[in-house]
């Protein structure tokens, strides 16, 4: 008789939240999160109280007030790109949030992408990062087939920086190209003109499906002053491009509304009547989903436990079991680990998040004992450093990623990676070939990919774990994230030595104190550039998230990904074997 063994795929936890190191990590992380929260509050103020008063004097609402009326009552707004342009454009007085608000929110129950100009920031003018932020929001909407709502209130291109806004493939003009492509794919787009819409920006609303316009707003390719300068014609703004003219004469506007409040009410009404192509064209969903009960399917362990796992200080050496993170983000803490005893510095396995199936690829931060399979030390035991990708780890991850594509399982990558292993043993074992296989599998993957950077994300390890260049649908980061070619200490050691030798060749011999000062200077610069706020300012990161909300964030992202049922045929191409 075969013994009656009970199947159990639930993860255990050894986290001791009262341990001294855990408590100290939590205190330090909460202090960091508090500081970041204060900065986020300041960004949300846009141009400040005086600029908000100026907006109100025109009988217009601020962008945040508009969002409060547009979104379903009590529904969360998942803001994306909040940190865009952070600590940039200081010579022009800054551009908080890049002068535009983007994110996912529910309107009449429907998940929508919202792109809304903040007229309190330089009259909503487009800085270089404004264009990139709008393009990123459009890209997310395009890849996931998300209905998109534009609230336009913009003076157009910020002229002092026009050479960085106007011409390139990822600049201002791409916005209108995306409008046309999104429309061709059946992605609903509605624009509400709620202020100025000038010059090239005037094309945006007219290239969407439906156009609303409030009285007192303006829509024209050239304003009255430019018209007079160009052709000598004198005209007032209302006659040239006011709501009445566009509703009654040009026919450009579909709905003319008296004010912001009624315009937003109309917009909500229109969204409530949108159909869903997915429901009509396919039976069920492309990706596996089971009924989800928020009470029964919650993880077994408290999400806040993750606060104690990592020391948030730059350069801190964090050793922890990544399964502790997984156990707090997956349904019922259940995880079907793939090749659990092979290539153990990368964890792979299947789970559900909010009832939706996912494949998880995560860096294991605990050092591992492993038998060497290939190379000069074959057959010997070795210690593999946590967070480093070895040949066996890369092989396992590549195979798992391909399996997920074969089975139509979306992928979630959890980063805390130092890079690939180096040295003679690694080279003899074929680390370059195995790494190429993993990068190739990520590159050709056709299922949705979502990234969360938890700790370090350095060098080629960042690429292999589906970095920004590898088309993740969303890329999030914890406040503890570090994102660079290498860590600050490693970079400082290398660069300080190079610079010291350059000085010595010039005849100057540095003292130990001078060498240390040089090291500290370089390290401080590198640490600042590896900070997630630096990456988020440049839109390498979509959102810096509260670690305890990782599960909620992933549930929203997976819901958005599921809106696009079209998955191309998976063709991995030629793989190094």
């Amino acid at each position: 008789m075969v013994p009656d063994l009970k199947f159990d795929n639930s993860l255990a936890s050894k986290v001791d939240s009262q341990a001294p190191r855990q408590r100290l990590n939590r205190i330090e992380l909460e202090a960091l999160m508090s500081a970041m929260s204060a900065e986020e509050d300041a960004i949300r103020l846009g141009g400040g109280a005086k600029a908000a008063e100026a907006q109100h004097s025109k009988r217009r609402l601020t962008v945040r007030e508009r969002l409060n009326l547009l979104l379903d009552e009590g529904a969360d707004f998942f803001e994306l790109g909040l940190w865009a342009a952070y600590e940039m454009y200081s010579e022009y007085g800054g551009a908080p949030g890049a002068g535009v608000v983007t994110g996912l929110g529910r309107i009449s129950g429907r998940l929508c992408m919202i792109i809304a100009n903040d007229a309190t920031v330089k009259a909503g003018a487009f800085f270089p990062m404004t264009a990139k932020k709008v393009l990123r929001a459009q890209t997310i909407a395009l890849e996931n087939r998300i209905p998109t709502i534009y609230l336009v209130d913009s003076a157009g291109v910020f002229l002092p920086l026009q050479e960085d806004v106007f011409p390139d493939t990822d600049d201002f003009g791409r916005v209108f190209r995306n409008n046309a492509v999104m429309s061709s794919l059946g992605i609903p787009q509605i624009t509400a003109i709620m202020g100025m819409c000038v010059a090239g920006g005037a094309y945006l609303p007219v290239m969407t499906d439906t156009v609303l316009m409030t009285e007192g707003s303006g829509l024209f390719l050239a304003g009255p002053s430019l018209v007079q300068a160009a052709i000598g014609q004198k005209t007032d703004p209302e006659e040239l491009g006011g709501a009445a003219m566009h509703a009654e004469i040009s026919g450009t506007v579909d709905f003319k509304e008296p004010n912001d409040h009624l315009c937003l009410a109309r917009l909500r009404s229109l969204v409530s009547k949108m159909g869903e192509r997915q429901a009509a064209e396919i039976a069920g969903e492309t990706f596996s989903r089971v009924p989800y009960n928020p009470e029964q399917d919650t993880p077994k362990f408290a999400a806040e436990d993750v606060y104690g796992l990592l020391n948030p200080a730059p350069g801190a050496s964090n050793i922890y079991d990544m399964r502790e993170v997984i156990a707090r983000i997956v349904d019922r803490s259940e995880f079907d680990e793939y090749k659990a005893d092979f290539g153990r510095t990368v964890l792979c396995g299947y789970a559900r998040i909010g009832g939706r199936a996912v494949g998880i690829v995560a860096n294991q931060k605990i050092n591992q004992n492993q038998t060497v399979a290939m190379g000069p030390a074959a057959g010997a035991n070795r210690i593999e450093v946590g967070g480093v990708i070895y040949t066996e780890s890369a092989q396992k991850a590549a195979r798992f990623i391909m399996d997920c594509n074969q089975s139509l399982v979306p992928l979630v990558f959890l980063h805390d990676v130092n890079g690939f292993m180096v040295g003679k043993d690694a080279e003899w074992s074929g680390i370059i070939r195995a790494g190429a296989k993993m990068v190739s599998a990520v590159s050709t993957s056709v299922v949705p990919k979502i990234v969360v950077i938890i700790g370090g994300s350095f060098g080629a390890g960042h690429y292999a774990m589906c970095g920004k260049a590898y088309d993740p649908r969303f890329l999030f980061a914890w406040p503890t994230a570090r994102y660079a070619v290498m860590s600050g200490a490693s970079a400082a050691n290398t660069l300080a030595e190079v610079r010291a030798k350059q000085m010595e060749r010039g005849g100057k011999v540095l003292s130990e104190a001078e060498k240390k000062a040089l090291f500290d200077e370089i390290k401080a610069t590198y640490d600042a550039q590896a900070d997630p706020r630096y990456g988020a300012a440049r839109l390498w990161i979509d959102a810096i998230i509260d670690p305890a909300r990782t599960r909620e964030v992933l549930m929203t992202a997976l819901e958005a990904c599921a809106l696009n049922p079209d998955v191309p045929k998976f063709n991995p191409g030629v793989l190094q074997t």
Side-chain angles (χ1 to χ4, degrees):
M1 287 281 295
V2 177
D4 185 17
L5 299 177
K6 184 179 179 182
F7 174 72
D8 184 10
N9 61 349
S10 58
L11 293 168
S13 176
K14 296 180 180 178
V15 167
D16 179 4
S17 58
Q18 297 306 310
R21 183 69 255 178
Q22 292 263 340
R23 292 174 66 183
L24 184 57
N25 285 349
R26 180 170 187 144
I27 290 169
E28 292 179 354
L29 178 56
E30 287 177 342
L32 175 61
M33 290 170 58
S34 178
M36 284 188 170
S37 179
E39 289 182 296
E40 289 179 341
D41 289 342
I43 293 170
R44 290 190 181 97
L45 292 175
K50 189 173 180 180
E53 287 175 14
Q55 184 78 346
H56 291 154
S57 71
K58 301 171 188 172
R59 300 179 62 192
R60 296 175 190 160
L61 300 174
T62 65
V63 66
R64 302 283 172 180
E65 291 167 342
R66 287 168 177 167
L67 291 178
N68 286 339
L69 292 174
L70 176 64
L71 297 170
D72 292 352
E73 188 174 354
D76 288 335
F77 177 57
F78 182 29
E79 188 159 357
L80 303 170
L82 173 64
W83 292 86
Y86 172 71
E87 294 188 340
M88 298 172 69
Y89 311 125
S90 56
E91 65 273 35
Y92 302 105
V100 65
V101 177
T102 61
L104 296 172
R106 295 193 186 279
I107 303 172
S108 299
R110 189 77 175 268
L111 187 67
C112 295
M113 173 64 75
I114 295 143
I115 301 173
N117 297 116
D118 185 350
T120 69
V121 179
K122 304 294 188 296
F126 271 68
F127 285 75
M129 290 309 302
T130 314
K132 288 174 172 54
K133 183 170 175 178
V134 171
L135 290 172
R136 176 57 183 158
Q138 286 185 320
T139 298
I140 291 171
L142 206 157
E143 290 178 340
N144 299 295
R145 305 297 190 265
I146 306 171
T148 303
I149 309 301
Y150 304 87
L151 305 183
V152 177
D153 192 351
S154 171
V157 169
F158 186 67
L159 292 178
L161 295 174
Q162 66 83 27
E163 77 276 13
D164 296 321
V165 180
F166 174 69
D168 213 341
T169 53
D170 60 348
D171 286 339
F172 193 51
R174 189 77 170 186
V175 173
F176 317 131
R177 175 264 185 195
N178 284 352
N179 289 141
V181 171
M182 291 166 71
S183 183
S184 74
L185 293 172
I187 303 169
Q189 298 175 89
I190 303 177
T191 298
I193 302 168
M194 310 180 80
M196 289 298 104
C197 189
V198 185
Y203 286 110
L204 186 152
V206 184
M207 296 194 71
T208 61
D209 307 329
T210 307
V211 183
L212 296 77
M213 188 171 181
T214 58
E215 294 177 5
S217 296
L219 172 66
F220 26 68
L221 290 179
S225 299
L226 186 55
V227 167
Q228 184 175 0
I231 64 174
Q233 185 181 79
K234 292 185 177 180
T235 181
D236 65 67
E238 279 298 318
E239 183 182 15
L240 181 64
M245 190 284 288
H246 280 304
E248 300 169 17
I249 299 173
S250 76
T252 302
V253 169
D254 303 312
F255 297 90
K256 181 185 72 171
E257 304 298 340
N259 54 42
D260 283 12
H261 295 78
L262 294 175
C263 182
L264 295 167
R266 175 83 70 183
L267 210 163
R268 286 181 53 81
S269 178
L270 294 172
V271 172
S272 73
K273 297 173 179 66
M274 285 180 182
E276 295 192 51
R277 292 179 182 275
Q278 180 177 333
E281 293 178 1
I282 66 170
E285 295 190 25
T286 301
F287 310 112
S288 173
R289 182 188 181 193
V290 298
Y292 170 66
N293 185 314
E295 294 182 1
Q296 296 178 3
D297 296 330
T298 191
K300 295 191 301 182
F301 311 106
E304 290 75 16
D305 289 345
V306 298
Y307 290 155
L309 289 180
L310 281 79
N311 179 349
S317 178
N318 287 302
I319 298 174
Y320 62 94
D321 189 344
M322 184 62 83
R323 293 184 188 88
E324 299 286 5
V325 176
I326 296 171
R328 286 158 178 81
I329 63 175
V330 302
D331 293 358
R332 298 178 301 280
S333 301
E334 292 176 353
F335 182 59
D336 296 312
E337 188 166 350
Y338 175 87
K339 293 185 184 289
D341 300 317
F342 181 75
R344 293 197 293 265
T345 61
V346 173
L347 302 176
C348 300
Y350 300 97
R352 290 189 183 274
I353 299 176
R356 300 180 188 276
V358 295
I360 295 174
V361 181
N363 304 111
Q364 173 60 289
K365 289 294 289 182
I366 293 178
N367 295 343
Q368 302 291 316
N369 283 308
Q370 185 75 41
T371 300
V372 180
M374 295 169 281
N381 287 326
R382 70 177 177 207
I383 299 295
E384 293 189 342
V385 180
V388 175
I389 302 175
Y390 290 76
T391 299
E392 296 86 353
S393 308
Q395 290 172 337
K396 176 173 81 171
R399 172 63 185 273
F400 179 73
I401 291 164
M402 289 189 284
D403 282 359
C404 286
N405 277 270
Q406 188 77 0
S407 303
L408 295 178
V409 179
L411 286 157
V412 174
F413 294 83
L414 304 178
H415 288 215
D416 197 344
V417 59
N418 298 325
F420 284 88
M421 190 57 190
V422 296
K424 186 172 75 172
D425 288 348
E427 298 293 355
W428 282 34
S429 70
I431 187 67
I432 298 174
R433 186 177 70 248
K437 187 186 299 184
M438 184 175 176
V439 170
S440 181
V442 169
S443 302
T444 57
S445 177
V446 294
V447 296
K449 296 170 289 190
I450 302 170
V451 170
V452 182
I453 302 178
I454 289 172
S457 190
F458 299 120
H462 171 76
Y463 297 156
M465 290 291 292
C466 191
K468 181 71 172 181
Y470 294 82
D471 303 318
R473 299 279 184 95
F474 296 92
L475 195 154
F476 308 117
W478 285 13
T480 49
R482 292 292 177 269
Y483 189 177
V485 171
M486 62 181 74
S487 69
S490 298
N493 276 321
T494 302
L495 293 174
E497 184 177 346
V498 169
R499 199 174 298 178
K501 287 181 178 178
Q502 289 173 338
M503 291 179 177
E504 288 170 3
R505 284 196 294 269
K508 181 177 181 180
V509 179
L510 297 180
S511 67
E512 289 303 314
E514 288 173 322
K515 288 180 179 179
K516 183 179 184 306
L518 183 61
F519 172 88
D520 290 343
E521 177 190 347
I522 296 171
K523 183 177 183 298
T525 299
Y526 232 84
D527 284 342
Q529 292 177 353
D531 188 288
R533 286 166 286 196
Y534 187 92
R538 289 149 183 81
L539 296 174
W540 306 337
I541 293 167
D542 292 315
I544 300 173
I545 63 173
D546 178 344
R549 292 193 66 245
T550 303
R551 173 175 165 83
E552 298 169 47
V553 167
L554 289 174
M555 287 172 66
T556 300
L558 287 165
E559 179 188 354
C561 291
L563 294 175
N564 182 3
D566 299 325
V567 181
K569 180 183 176 183
F570 177 52
N571 182 7
V574 176
L575 290 175
Q576 289 282 347
T577 58

